[in-house]
Amino acid sequence: MKNGNSRTEQWWRGACLYEVYLRSFADSNGDGEGDLPGLRDRLDYIAALGVDGIWITPFFPSPMYDSGYDVADYRSVDPRFGTLADFRSVTSRAHELGLRVIIDQVYSHTSHLHPWFVESASSADNPKADWYVWADPKPDGSLPNNWLARFGGVAWEWNANRRQYYLHNFLVEQPDLNLHNRQVQDEILDTMRFWVDQGVDGFRLDVANFYMHDPQMRDNPPVDAGDRPANPYYMQKHVHDRSRPENLAFLERMRAATGEHMLLAEISCDNQAERMAEYTEPGRLHTAYSFELLGPVLDGAHIARTVATAGAGQSWPTWAFSNHDVARVATRWNAVGNRNRVNMLQAPLLSLRGTVIVYQGEELGLAHGNVPREALRDPEAVRFWPHGRGRDGARTPMAWDDTPMLGFSKAPGWLPAEPGHAEQSIARQSQDPCSSLAHCRSMIALRKTTPALKLGEFEVIEADETGLSFWRVHEGARILCSFNFTGQSRAVPQHGRSRVLAGAFEGDGLAADGYVIAEAAA
């Protein structure tokens, strides 16, 4: 397959992407870190899942304060992950297998070691002096405003050369770019064109709603009184440091610069579903996902409301139940050791209207890894232990087989392998036609071959904390999708006469942790 975007194809609508957390996927050289050659060698496995493409997490030069999301060079490959030639090899092989390639791009901020920031921080009058967000102290030397950093503490750091503070919405080592500056925007757009020339099919845009800040630097207001969180970041309404209206024009520039190469935004804010719809209006990004369905509670009413809101009008949402930033879904939604429930949780994701993302290991039903405190690498987990999100547990090595390092590497990994994943490994599940891996493959195939599941409208029948039922409707076909989130049997409304495509009815309802996808009789 050639670089497959055209202005008419819109391949991403209804597609299923597979997120590759590169650092933990497959290690080809025995250094304990996943790399691009390792990914290339495992692409056949991904293609056999039936997905339409891969999203690769950052592989650019980085000091790794935030596992590669602190980029020091946007147009190169970190030697720990390989070379630019290795990346081209991945893209070439992926296209041969019919897979699109989406790469992670971090444009909100860079590493503090990026040459741009080194120059910007050197003085107040150099050519890149305004490429980052700098602000004068108040007359008493205190901070410019009350903004807080996502990973804890204040969002401002003093620089003695400039006698100013710089903004960092995340780590001190991740200074924020000033995307109000047209020159910075132009450089970012040129970077995107560079990767298009390398053969990518699209971009996943990290924290896309953080690109702009309030030029007036106004204080954020407090949230309504409630329990004090472990991280004070959540004690503010972030109306001035993210999700700014000034961002929309830049998103439109991105779209114009990259044509129909897929633009997938990550949204992290209040009112996420509304922001997803706003960012994917015509002329802006193709699609967006948020953390709305990555929370601790499985609730059908919340899923139904979120899907309807984010998909309003001409918007096209993307959905995920797991990713590298949250506890794995099998742990979060109480499916560990329960194959029926693991399979049931795969089914609604692959039935929703929108594009969907399967996170590596989700197809296996992997539990969240147990990473001891002394082995933690995630800066957020270290700072807020034991009250943080514990993102390292979602990033432990991929379970290829049941050897001590799970077939990921011949050396100890950058994170420890989770011993409990051995019995759920690909090698074991590949031999079992009733495994969660086999189930995930069949659900992806069903979505791909059933236009109503891939492209149909979403009509809610019933939704509450115990389950979810909806229709997917397309060109006269009506597909019933019903899911039981409880350990007891549950009735299925409006099923009538229908042909079962996946799952099973139990009488007029569903078994505990059961589901059914059925085509309504004509």
Side-chain angles (χ1 to χ4, degrees):
M1 184 185 82
K2 296 179 180 179
N3 186 304
N5 290 286
S6 72
R7 293 190 175 276
T8 58
E9 191 176 6
Q10 295 190 332
W11 65 268
W12 42 270
R13 283 188 174 267
C16 179
L17 301 177
Y18 187 83
E19 182 190 352
V20 174
Y21 193 77
L22 185 65
R23 204 175 183 190
S24 297
F25 191 65
D27 173 21
S28 70
N29 61 7
D31 67 354
E33 298 201 45
D35 48 44
L36 290 167
L39 168 58
R40 185 191 184 284
D41 292 345
R42 298 289 192 173
L43 283 174
D44 285 49
Y45 165 76
I46 298 175
L49 291 173
V51 299
D52 299 282
I54 55 174
W55 151 25
I56 310 172
T57 55
F59 50 83
F60 317 103
S62 168
M64 292 289 167
Y65 283 90
D66 189 23
S67 200
Y69 285 88
D70 48 327
V71 178
D73 181 352
Y74 284 116
R75 303 193 191 191
S76 187
V77 174
D78 193 302
R80 76 185 69 208
F81 298 128
T83 65
L84 194 56
D86 290 327
F87 175 74
R88 294 193 192 99
S89 180
V90 167
T91 302
S92 176
R93 179 59 180 153
H95 288 163
E96 288 175 2
L97 293 169
L99 296 170
R100 302 308 210 283
V101 177
I102 310 301
I103 62 170
D104 226 321
Q105 294 287 271
V106 189
Y107 298 143
S108 166
H109 51 268
T110 71
S111 165
H112 68 306
L113 300 182
H114 196 295
W116 299 347
F117 184 72
V118 173
E119 182 175 354
S120 186
S122 66
S123 70
D125 58 0
N126 65 78
K128 291 185 172 56
D130 193 38
W131 279 44
Y132 291 80
V133 182
W134 296 95
D136 292 330
K138 291 180 178 177
D140 63 359
S142 59
L143 304 176
N145 59 29
N146 72 345
W147 296 353
L148 297 173
R150 176 65 184 78
F151 291 162
V154 299
W156 297 99
E157 180 71 7
W158 181 252
N159 179 268
N161 284 336
R162 291 188 53 140
R163 309 293 200 270
Q164 286 181 306
Y165 289 99
Y166 68 84
L167 178 67
H168 60 93
N169 273 303
F170 297 91
L171 295 176
V172 169
E173 294 86 4
Q174 293 172 301
D176 273 60
L177 284 166
N178 178 18
L179 283 159
H180 290 284
N181 184 327
R182 189 83 171 189
Q183 286 184 310
V184 180
Q185 290 189 20
D186 290 345
E187 184 65 32
I188 293 302
L189 298 181
D190 283 346
T191 294
M192 298 177 83
R193 296 185 188 100
F194 171 85
W195 287 107
V196 167
D197 290 342
Q198 305 308 309
V200 306
D201 300 286
F203 304 92
R204 182 263 188 185
L205 303 171
D206 187 61
V207 292
N209 60 301
F210 280 76
Y211 289 164
M212 300 286 183
H213 64 282
D214 174 26
Q216 299 179 54
M217 301 282 187
R218 288 169 288 186
D219 281 354
N220 283 326
V223 300
D224 297 332
D227 293 337
R228 183 174 295 174
N231 185 345
Y233 185 81
Y234 299 105
M235 297 173 68
Q236 292 184 354
K237 295 179 181 178
H238 293 275
V239 296
H240 296 308
D241 55 352
R242 68 185 189 192
S243 302
R244 297 292 303 167
E246 298 92 338
N247 206 21
L248 300 177
F250 180 46
L251 302 183
E252 291 166 3
R253 288 198 74 200
M254 280 187 165
R255 178 67 178 271
T258 57
E260 290 309 302
H261 288 79
M262 182 189 187
L263 298 179
L264 165 63
E266 178 197 33
I267 305 294
S268 176
C269 63
D270 302 325
N271 305 314
Q272 294 179 97
E274 291 88 345
R275 195 68 58 227
M276 290 167 66
E278 178 184 52
Y279 278 31
T280 58
E281 288 180 4
R284 295 174 185 164
L285 308 181
H286 296 99
T287 184
Y289 84 93
S290 71
F291 289 75
E292 285 283 10
L293 304 188
L294 294 165
V297 178
L298 175 59
D299 181 344
H302 175 70
I303 293 174
R305 182 170 55 250
T306 301
V307 171
T309 301
Q314 299 182 58
S315 308
W316 190 263
T318 286
W319 306 111
F321 283 0
S322 273
N323 72 13
H324 64 277
D325 279 331
V326 298
R328 285 188 173 275
V329 66
T331 297
R332 227 172 56 247
W333 290 348
N334 304 311
V336 176
N338 183 340
R339 181 187 293 180
N340 287 341
R341 189 167 177 83
V342 167
N343 294 354
M344 184 275 293
L345 292 176
Q346 291 175 350
L349 174 66
L350 291 160
S351 301
L352 293 178
R353 179 183 181 274
T355 299
V356 297
I357 301 171
V358 173
Y359 179 50
Q360 67 181 50
E362 187 175 358
E363 74 276 20
L364 306 175
L366 296 185
H368 200 62
N370 179 27
V371 181
R373 185 179 185 184
E374 64 273 13
L376 291 174
R377 304 292 290 272
D378 171 27
E380 186 178 16
V382 171
R383 181 158 195 167
F384 293 106
W385 188 91
H387 302 292
R389 287 183 291 172
R391 299 185 300 172
D392 283 331
R395 303 172 177 185
T396 57
M398 184 64 168
W400 296 100
D401 60 35
D402 56 7
T403 58
M405 277 306 299
L406 304 178
F408 161 71
S409 177
K410 296 178 181 179
W414 74 283
L415 282 175
E418 170 53 56
H421 289 170
E423 62 186 32
Q424 298 169 285
S425 71
I426 293 165
R428 288 197 183 187
Q429 292 202 34
S430 294
Q431 306 304 312
D432 180 1
C434 297
S435 67
S436 293
L437 173 59
H439 178 266
C440 190
R441 285 172 172 160
S442 68
M443 277 301 308
I444 292 171
L446 180 63
R447 179 180 179 88
K448 182 175 288 189
T449 57
T450 308
L453 284 181
K454 184 173 182 178
L455 299 171
E457 297 302 312
F458 177 82
E459 299 178 2
V460 178
I461 302 169
E462 183 179 64
D464 58 28
E465 69 276 5
T466 69
L468 174 64
S469 297
F470 55 83
W471 292 105
R472 297 297 309 278
V473 182
H474 183 70
E475 296 182 348
R478 296 178 64 82
I479 306 295
L480 172 69
C481 304
S482 188
F483 311 95
N484 182 4
F485 299 160
T486 75
Q488 293 81 41
S489 60
R490 185 176 189 271
V492 177
Q494 299 186 22
H495 70 81
R497 295 174 56 201
S498 55
R499 179 172 66 93
V500 173
L501 303 177
F505 287 111
E506 185 178 76
D508 289 335
L510 298 176
D513 298 316
Y515 79 93
V516 69
I517 298 173
E519 183 176 27

